[in-house]
C-alpha cells in the first residue's frame, strides 16, 4: 500500500469497468477513499466489496444532472470532503456526418460533454470552500488527431479538452486544478462491445478476444505493446496527487506515441 493519496477523497465515474475500475483500484492502493460511480449495481457492489472499507459504490447515470448532483452530495456527506473528481464515464456514440440523428447528438452530448460540465458545476462549490481540489476529465486522442474516433465522438472529446482549459483558468485562483487525460487505444471492454457484452461471453472466449485485441493494439504505437487501463490510472494518480500540484489546464496524452505517427 502506498500513501500518494493518503487522506484524499475521490469520485470516479464510469468506475464499474475498464479505466474507471482500474483507477479506483490504484487510488485505494495509494491511500484514497473512493466513491465508485456507475450504472451497473451488480458490478459496482462487487468492486466495493473487493476494495474494502475505503470504497463506496454509488449508482449514477451521468447523462442525468440530478444523478451527478446526488453522487457529489453522497460523497460529501459520506466523507466530509472531495479532493478529486475523475469524470471518466463514456461510451460509444453513433452517427457519421450524413447519418447522425438528433437522438445520437443529444445522447452523445449528455454522456461525453454534459457529464463533465455538470460534474464540474456541482463539485466546484465544495472544492472552493476547501480551497483545493483536482478535477480530471477523460478526453481522447480523437480530440487532437483525425481518424482516431468517430465523427461525433471526436468533436465532443475536443470540447472536453477545451472546456478543461477554460475551467482550469476559472478555478485555478481557488486552488482547484483542472486537467484532462487523452488516452490512445486502450484495451478495455468497450472494444468487446462494452462491459455488459463482455460479461456475457464465456471466460475462454473473452480471454481469446482480449488476447487478439492486445496483439492488434500493440502494432498501433511506436511502443511494442498495447495500452492498458492501469496506464491511464497511473496518469490520473499523478494528476490527483501532490506531485501534480503545479499542473493545471493540461491535456496529458497517454498513447504510447500513437499520435506522433499521424499528421493532419
Amino acid at each position: 500500500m502506498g500513501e500518494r493519496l493518503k487522506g484524499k477523497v475521490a469520485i470516479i465515474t464510469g468506475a464499474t469497468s475498464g479505466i474507471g475500475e482500474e483507477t479506483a483500484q490504484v487510488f485505494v492502493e495509494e491511500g484514497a477513499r473512493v466513491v465508485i460511480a456507475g450504472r451497473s449495481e451488480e458490478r459496482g457492489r462487487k468492486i466495493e466489496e473487493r476494495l474494502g472499507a475505503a470504497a463506496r459504490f454509488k449508482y449514477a447515470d451521468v447523462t442525468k444532472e440530478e444523478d451527478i448532483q446526488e453522487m457529489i452530495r453522497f460523497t460529501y456527506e459520506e466523507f466530509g470532503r472531495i479532493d478529486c473528481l475523475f469524470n471518466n464515464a463514456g461510451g460509444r456514440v453513433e452517427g457519421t456526418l450524413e447519418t447522425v440523428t438528433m437522438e445520437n447528438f443529444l445522447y452523445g452530448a449528455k454522456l461525453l460533454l454534459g457529464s463533465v460540465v455538470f460534474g464540474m458545476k456541482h463539485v466546484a462549490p465544495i472544492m472552493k470552500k476547501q480551497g483545493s481540489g483536482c478535477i480530471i476529465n477523460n478526453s481522447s486522442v480523437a480530440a487532437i488527431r483525425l481518424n482516431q474516433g468517430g465523427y461525433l465522438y471526436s468533436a465532443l472529446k475536443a470540447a472536453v479538452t477545451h472546456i478543461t482549459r477554460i475551467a482550469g483558468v476559472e478555478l485555478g485562483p481557488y486552488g482547484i486544478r483542472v486537467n484532462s487525460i487523452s488516452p490512445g487505444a486502450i484495451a478495455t471492454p468497450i472494444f468487446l462491445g462494452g462491459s455488459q457484452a463482455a460479461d456475457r461471453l464465456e471466460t475462454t472466449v473473452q480471454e481469446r478476444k482480449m488476447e487478439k485485441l492486445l496483439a492488434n493494439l500493440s502494432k498501433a504505437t511506436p511502443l511494442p505493446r498495447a495500452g492498458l487501463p492501469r496506464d491511464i490510472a497511473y496518469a490520473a494518480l499523478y494528476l490527483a496527487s501532490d506531485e501534480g500540484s503545479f499542473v493545471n489546464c493540461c491535456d496529458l496524452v497517454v498513447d504510447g506515441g500513437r499520435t506522433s505517427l499521424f499528421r493532419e
Side-chain angles (χ1 to χ4, degrees):
M1 295 290 288
E3 295 188 344
R4 292 169 70 184
L5 297 180
K6 185 178 180 180
K8 295 186 184 293
V9 174
I11 303 171
I12 302 171
T13 67
T16 57
S17 69
I19 290 169
E21 180 179 358
E22 195 67 29
T23 304
Q25 175 78 43
V26 168
F27 276 27
V28 168
E29 288 173 356
E30 291 293 336
R33 291 170 290 173
V34 176
V35 169
I36 305 155
R39 292 183 294 182
S40 175
E41 183 93 24
E42 182 180 358
R43 292 180 63 91
R45 294 299 177 193
K46 286 180 180 178
I47 296 168
E48 177 186 53
E49 183 178 356
R50 173 166 55 82
L51 295 182
R56 302 283 190 280
F57 170 72
K58 177 63 177 173
Y59 175 88
D61 179 348
V62 296
T63 65
K64 299 176 180 177
E65 182 181 2
E66 59 269 28
D67 277 21
I68 295 171
Q69 187 172 15
E70 172 59 20
M71 171 189 76
I72 290 168
R73 184 204 63 78
F74 169 84
T75 304
Y76 189 71
E77 289 191 357
E78 193 77 9
F79 295 117
R81 62 182 298 109
I82 301 174
D83 298 285
C84 176
L85 169 63
F86 184 16
N87 287 311
N88 166 71
R92 294 179 180 273
V93 178
E94 303 298 331
T96 67
L97 188 150
E98 294 187 355
T99 65
V100 64
T101 66
M102 184 59 74
E103 184 180 13
N104 296 150
F105 175 78
L106 291 176
Y107 174 74
K110 288 178 181 179
L111 176 64
L112 300 180
L113 183 58
S115 59
V116 171
V117 169
F118 293 106
M120 293 194 295
K121 171 187 174 180
H122 290 292
V123 85
I126 293 171
M127 290 183 171
K128 281 183 177 180
K129 186 178 178 181
Q130 294 171 173
S132 65
C134 169
I135 299 170
I136 305 169
N137 299 321
N138 207 2
S139 188
S140 171
V141 294
I144 54 176
R145 289 289 187 275
L146 299 180
N147 301 317
Q148 300 300 297
Y151 170 70
L152 191 55
Y153 179 89
S154 300
L156 290 167
K157 285 298 189 180
V160 168
T161 301
H162 194 57
I163 205 170
T164 294
R165 298 188 182 101
I166 296 170
V169 170
E170 183 172 333
L171 296 176
Y174 299 95
I176 303 166
R177 297 178 295 111
V178 189
N179 297 290
S180 59
I181 298 174
S182 284
I186 306 298
T188 69
I190 195 169
F191 287 101
L192 304 180
S195 59
Q196 291 183 352
D199 286 345
R200 288 194 293 268
L201 296 173
E202 293 182 10
T203 303
T204 53
V205 175
Q206 190 175 137
E207 288 174 350
R208 285 202 303 270
K209 284 182 174 290
M210 185 55 72
E211 191 175 305
K212 184 176 181 181
L213 174 63
L214 289 169
N216 289 337
L217 293 180
S218 70
K219 301 172 186 175
T221 72
L223 292 178
R225 73 169 178 88
L228 301 172
R230 185 152 284 224
D231 293 316
I232 308 305
Y234 281 130
L237 171 61
Y238 165 67
L239 292 173
S241 73
D242 292 341
E243 296 157 17
S245 63
F246 200 56
V247 182
N248 187 35
C249 305
C250 172
D251 180 47
L252 179 55
V253 177
V254 185
D255 72 342
R258 178 175 171 80
T259 50
S260 295
L261 298 175
F262 297 89
R263 293 182 179 178
E264 293 184 322

